[in-house]
Amino acid sequence: MDKKIKIDALARVEGHGGITVEIKDNKVENVRVEIYEGPRLIETLVIGKTPEEDLNIVPRICAICTISHRYAAIRGLEKALGIDPPEKVKLLRELMHLGEMLESHSLHVFVLALPDFLGYSSVIAMIDKYKDDVVKALQLKKYANKIMRVVSGRMIHGENPIVGGFGRFPTKEELLEIKEEAKKMLPIAERGVEIMASLDYPDYAEANTVFMCLNPPNGEFGFVGDSLLFSTGEEYDVEKYKEAFSERVVSYSFAKRSRYKGQPFSVGALARINNIGDRLKGKAGAYYRKYHDDKWLVNPIYNNLAQAIEMVYCLEEIPKLIDKIVKMPDCEIVKPERLTGTGTGSVEAPRGTLLHHYEIKDYKITKSDIITPTAMNLDDIERYIRIAAEKLVERKEIESMNLQLEMIARAYDPCISCSAHLVKVIRK
Amino acid sequence: MAQEKLKIGVYGFTGCAGDQLLIIHSEDQLLDFFNVAEIRSFLMAKSDNIDDELDVAFVEGSISTKEQVEKIKEIRKRSKIVVAIGHCACFGGIQSMYTGDGTYEKRLKAVYGDKINFEIDTPIEAKPIDAYIKVDYYIPGCPIDQKQFFAAFSKIIHGTKPVSYWFPVCTECKWKENDCLLLKGILCLGPITNAGCGAICPSHNLPCVGCWGLYDDANLKSQINLLLEKGFSKEEILKRFKTFGGPKMTERLKEVLEEEEKNG
């Protein structure tokens, strides 16, 4: 049997991408994840700009990961300029980042991924049967957006977090309101875990892979760290990211691909939960111990459940953070120690490790390198789609293959605007 | 009342998807948004999309590849009204800050190498959608603002014209009774930038960076002179103007600079 499966435009993902699978004589031949998103050459736009201007530009790589981009950039720029901001600034940045994590995960789990499992085309189509859950999911999303609005100034592309501090600190009242609401939101996230855990996870895409995430300090779970931790046990300082993985390019995609020792690898919530989930405490820790098993190590679709557990983590963390923040006095914006330097900033974006590397001379950027999680994931998405296609051909389940392959791509929560922010093609 | 619902499409070209996301982020309005109109196509939000005749197409993103040029023309052909939403569609986005300055080929080669030939599409210099089609209404912002978008959306689906804001960020900043950052010697673009954000950055003690795009009646010459008086270099001033300027800013600046040269 010959068949060409072509998903021209992946729905319910951010940005423009497609999948092509060619089957010949019952054998899967070509598998390609194609990225059509037009390139914007972002890294060339920031050359000659000041660190402040860089922060007006790079968060615009992606609306869903805007705070992660801003946070990673700030960390890289501050390292380069020798700035160590006060504790209050660091904690507020963590808070805004938890807001984004929660927002992005609630969007993905409930709005983008769940309709697949329940057989709907969108979350709106689910409203008749699941009104209560949909309304609550939207409440959770709205709450997460509020955190970003209060701390960063806006839901999307807020300019308030800057190098050395914040333009304006949120008030104690605003923060305490967020803290109180976290309690009301926790049951919604817990319900999310239970819903995602009750679904049948298809087993057509099972294979081992390597997971990578940041290693947060002090043996804690978290989304910020200065070293890259692989599931193989290897660890690299983020400044040495070029030793940890290599990048390659393909002509059918406007996005770069990353490999670890020549192999595809995965980043994101599943990588974090698999690598450091045993550090989770409280209710998130209890869910981890209840649901995490060996299947999570081989099946990318569990990323949905991993995200749901991280939502619980965020909501447990937010009140603790706010309790610390409100006790601290507002502080002045910290000025640079030096005007020339280099630095790599790293955070976990909702969909995986994000790196911003900068070289600065006389307070102007001379070089930047931005490596995004979806670009890291692309090779593994493609590999799992091939594995799934082969399995489905073997099982003669070809008719529903489009949706099943799309579900794998969607499980990774790909962010195509991020992945296609730049392509470097080296022709020999 | 059995009024037929308007057929609507939401499309994204090159950008950060922030304007579509803003619609999805409007949790209080989202269910109504899908109820009051027939959302035929919205790829980012749903999977059963049908691309046929539309009453209104909302379009986000700049045109940045050859195929996108064809696609935007095709959307125009089957839509009664086309609304550009967000900075990229209205002005070209940050990716168009150097559009038309002659460096594109060089920058493209610096990034892609000399001989690259993509199988899927051909990248071109980023431009706003009205570089290729007629646009009926513009809703600026980076990203668009909820209030501004839904006010315009309501007007459009009720068959009336949306009202654009006819004043710059400075007006909103005065309403908020903020201290003027320009008076403090900070390079703020409030006087030349479209209102609509609620002067959000100046309200956080941060200068306006121009992300709502160039205000139609902006007096660029006066703003340049003011900033020169404040001690900023011309190079610095123009660099800031251009970050969210796109080809429309470049055109206006050309007029101003040519006039200046003529007058010595």
Side-chain angles (χ1 to χ4, degrees):
Chain A
M1 189 221 56
D2 293 353
K3 190 177 167 79
K4 188 168 179 176
I5 290 176
K6 201 158 164 42
I7 299 160
D8 281 325
L10 274 167
R12 280 182 278 128
V13 299
E14 191 285 322
H16 308 290
I19 300 169
T20 300
V21 176
E22 283 170 19
I23 301 164
K24 203 166 181 219
D25 299 328
N26 281 321
K27 252 193 94 177
V28 176
E29 294 205 325
N30 260 326
V31 176
R32 312 204 306 191
V33 175
E34 293 155 342
I35 300 297
Y36 309 118
E37 186 79 36
R40 285 179 287 164
L41 319 180
I42 299 277
E43 282 143 319
T44 71
L45 301 180
V46 302
I47 303 299
K49 301 284 198 289
T50 64
E52 285 87 4
E53 290 172 292
D54 179 74
L55 292 182
N56 305 146
I57 295 167
V58 295
R60 263 96 184 172
I61 288 173
C62 170
I64 303 185
C65 319
T66 175
I67 283 186
S68 295
H69 278 289
R70 178 170 282 271
Y71 196 2
I74 287 176
R75 281 168 57 79
L77 294 166
E78 286 185 347
K79 260 194 202 176
L81 300 170
I83 294 173
D84 183 23
E87 196 62 16
K88 177 161 183 166
V89 169
K90 287 181 186 165
L91 296 180
L92 266 172
R93 286 175 185 165
E94 269 184 50
L95 178 64
M96 70 177 186
H97 194 214
L98 290 178
E100 177 168 277
M101 198 66 71
L102 194 55
E103 193 291 317
S104 180
H105 282 3
S106 56
L107 172 70
H108 181 250
V109 168
F110 295 112
V111 180
L112 306 179
L114 190 58
D116 282 335
F117 292 93
L118 302 177
Y120 291 90
S121 64
S122 72
V123 74
I124 306 298
M126 287 164 46
I127 197 89
D128 286 341
K129 207 168 162 201
Y130 298 95
K131 183 154 189 186
D132 190 49
D133 282 324
V134 171
V135 168
K136 284 195 173 140
L138 292 179
Q139 276 173 7
L140 178 60
K141 217 171 81 54
K142 188 181 171 186
Y143 167 73
N145 272 322
K146 180 178 168 175
I147 299 173
M148 293 197 281
R149 204 177 59 235
V150 166
V151 187
S152 82
R154 278 197 291 186
M155 294 191 292
I156 302 171
H157 305 333
E159 301 281 354
N160 194 31
I162 54 177
V163 169
F166 282 89
R168 195 195 82 191
F169 284 97
T171 64
K172 194 174 173 183
E173 290 69 35
E174 286 172 316
L175 292 171
L176 290 177
E177 202 180 296
I178 290 172
K179 182 192 160 187
E180 280 313 303
E181 277 182 77
K183 287 178 202 155
K184 289 182 219 151
M185 295 298 143
L186 188 57
I188 303 175
E190 291 188 70
R191 167 96 178 125
V193 175
E194 296 295 356
I195 293 173
M196 296 318 284
S198 70
L199 303 170
D200 281 334
Y201 281 66
D203 62 355
Y204 49 72
E206 292 191 347
N208 284 312
T209 190
V210 172
F211 295 101
M212 185 190 88
C213 69
L214 291 175
N215 191 3
N218 309 322
E220 302 271 344
F221 190 84
F223 304 121
V224 180
D226 288 309
S227 66
L228 304 164
L229 179 66
F230 287 86
S231 53
T232 54
E234 277 195 287
E235 203 171 337
Y236 295 83
D237 189 303
V238 287
E239 296 292 346
K240 292 181 179 161
Y241 68 92
K242 284 193 169 153
E243 291 170 25
F245 52 83
S246 60
E247 291 184 295
R248 69 184 187 102
V249 288
V250 290
S251 63
Y252 55 84
S253 161
F254 284 135
K256 286 190 273 195
R257 310 293 184 99
S258 300
R259 292 204 157 188
Y260 162 77
K261 295 187 176 170
Q263 291 174 51
F265 64 100
S266 283
V267 294
L270 186 58
R272 293 188 289 261
I273 296 286
N274 281 338
N275 281 4
I276 56 169
D278 56 358
R279 302 176 186 181
L280 285 165
K281 294 172 189 143
K283 286 185 167 171
Y287 283 121
Y288 169 81
R289 287 186 292 278
K290 185 172 171 189
Y291 291 119
H292 188 267
D293 61 30
D294 288 349
K295 291 238 175 228
W296 293 49
L297 302 173
V298 293
N299 189 339
I301 296 178
Y302 279 89
N303 192 48
N304 297 307
L305 189 45
Q307 287 187 335
I309 291 181
E310 285 190 341
M311 287 198 274
V312 173
Y313 166 80
C314 291
L315 286 164
E316 289 184 304
E317 239 8 67
I318 287 164
K320 288 188 234 165
L321 263 181
I322 291 176
D323 279 340
K324 286 187 211 160
I325 295 167
V326 294
K327 288 191 193 118
M328 296 172 177
D330 292 353
C331 36
E332 295 287 312
I333 294 160
V334 183
K335 298 268 180 288
E337 283 273 312
R338 51 178 179 264
L339 302 179
T340 298
T342 62
T344 306
S346 50
V347 300
E348 284 288 320
R351 39 203 58 71
T353 314
L354 171 65
L355 302 172
H356 275 237
H357 173 80
Y358 293 102
E359 297 178 18
I360 303 172
K361 191 165 185 277
D362 301 330
Y363 210 58
K364 296 264 169 72
I365 291 166
T366 54
K367 197 182 164 197
S368 81
D369 189 16
I370 302 168
I371 302 173
T372 67
T374 297
M376 295 184 200
N377 276 332
L378 277 174
D379 264 356
D380 228 10
I381 297 177
E382 203 167 83
R383 186 176 68 101
Y384 274 110
I385 285 175
R386 173 180 286 277
I387 289 164
E390 282 167 356
K391 185 64 93 183
L392 292 166
V393 167
E394 189 188 305
R395 292 182 186 171
K396 300 193 170 33
E397 290 173 25
I398 292 178
E399 291 319 306
S400 58
M401 201 189 251
N402 280 36
L403 172 68
Q404 283 157 323
L405 300 183
E406 269 196 79
M407 276 174 76
I408 296 170
R410 260 200 294 278
Y412 273 93
D413 194 5
C415 194
I416 294 170
S417 291
C418 281
S419 72
H421 70 286
L422 175 80
V423 193
K424 272 197 188 112
V425 178
I426 299 142
R427 290 263 152 160
K428 286 186 182 154
Chain B
M1 192 180 71
Q3 199 186 344
E4 215 172 297
K5 288 181 184 176
L6 291 192
K7 291 184 175 137
I8 294 207
V10 182
Y11 295 96
F13 288 93
T14 296
C16 74
D19 308 300
Q20 296 177 78
L21 185 66
L22 199 286
I23 298 172
I24 298 174
H25 271 0
S26 303
E27 294 85 4
D28 292 337
Q29 293 89 359
L30 192 63
L31 300 180
D32 286 341
F33 175 77
F34 275 87
N35 251 325
V36 295
E38 187 186 340
I39 309 297
R40 300 285 282 176
S41 183
F42 190 169
L43 190 67
M44 189 169 160
K46 67 190 195 93
S47 45
D48 54 348
N49 299 298
I50 299 161
D51 294 314
D52 57 1
E53 302 283 296
L54 293 173
D55 292 298
V56 192
F58 291 94
V59 179
E60 151 172 20
S62 69
I63 301 302
S64 306
T65 70
K66 280 192 176 167
E67 270 186 33
Q68 289 179 348
V69 174
E70 299 313 311
K71 177 97 191 288
I72 188 65
K73 287 181 180 165
E74 182 264 328
I75 290 172
R76 175 71 265 186
K77 233 179 245 174
R78 59 185 167 81
S79 310
K80 287 184 193 140
I81 296 172
V82 172
V83 186
I85 57 169
H87 192 277
C88 295
C90 295
F91 294 95
I94 47 166
Q95 59 271 29
S96 70
M97 69 173 78
Y98 297 124
T99 292
D101 76 349
T103 64
Y104 185 68
E105 286 304 317
K106 199 176 136 204
R107 286 189 301 120
L108 195 70
K109 278 183 184 166
V111 171
Y112 288 99
D114 275 347
K115 293 170 195 150
I116 181 62
N117 188 12
F118 279 111
E119 292 169 39
I120 46 167
D121 203 348
T122 310
I124 55 171
E125 211 167 13
K127 286 183 182 167
I129 62 172
D130 64 5
Y132 300 98
I133 61 156
K134 178 180 165 284
V135 169
D136 298 286
Y137 305 119
Y138 297 86
I139 304 176
C142 186
I144 52 170
D145 176 74
Q146 254 166 348
K147 279 186 198 146
Q148 217 177 353
F149 174 77
F150 282 102
F153 177 77
S154 304
K155 292 235 177 198
I156 291 166
I157 62 165
H158 288 102
T160 57
K161 285 184 182 176
V163 185
S164 33
Y165 288 22
W166 60 93
F167 42 83
V169 169
C170 280
T171 307
E172 291 182 314
C173 204
K174 295 293 162 288
W175 289 342
K176 294 218 163 166
E177 302 184 354
N178 293 327
D179 288 342
C180 179
L181 294 172
L182 281 164
L183 289 176
K184 293 182 186 171
I186 295 168
L187 205 166
C188 180
L189 298 185
I192 62 164
T193 303
N194 282 310
C197 63
I200 194 78
C201 290
S203 302
H204 285 79
N205 308 312
L206 298 166
C208 170
V209 296
C211 77
W212 242 253
L214 180 59
Y215 167 54
D216 271 347
D217 291 339
N219 188 338
L220 291 183
K221 195 179 157 192
S222 151
Q223 175 79 352
I224 292 170
N225 288 336
L226 177 92
L227 292 169
L228 286 170
E229 271 171 38
K230 299 271 175 204
F232 295 101
S233 73
K234 195 159 187 179
E235 186 196 357
E236 176 74 7
I237 297 166
L238 296 182
K239 188 174 68 156
R240 298 276 178 137
F241 277 26
K242 284 176 180 172
T243 297
F244 285 92
K248 288 172 191 173
M249 174 68 85
T250 306
E251 211 173 294
R252 289 272 295 280
L253 275 176
K254 206 174 147 203
E255 287 167 25
V256 172
L257 298 175
E258 272 171 9
E259 193 192 333
E260 201 174 77
E261 212 161 278
K262 232 189 289 166
N263 300 337

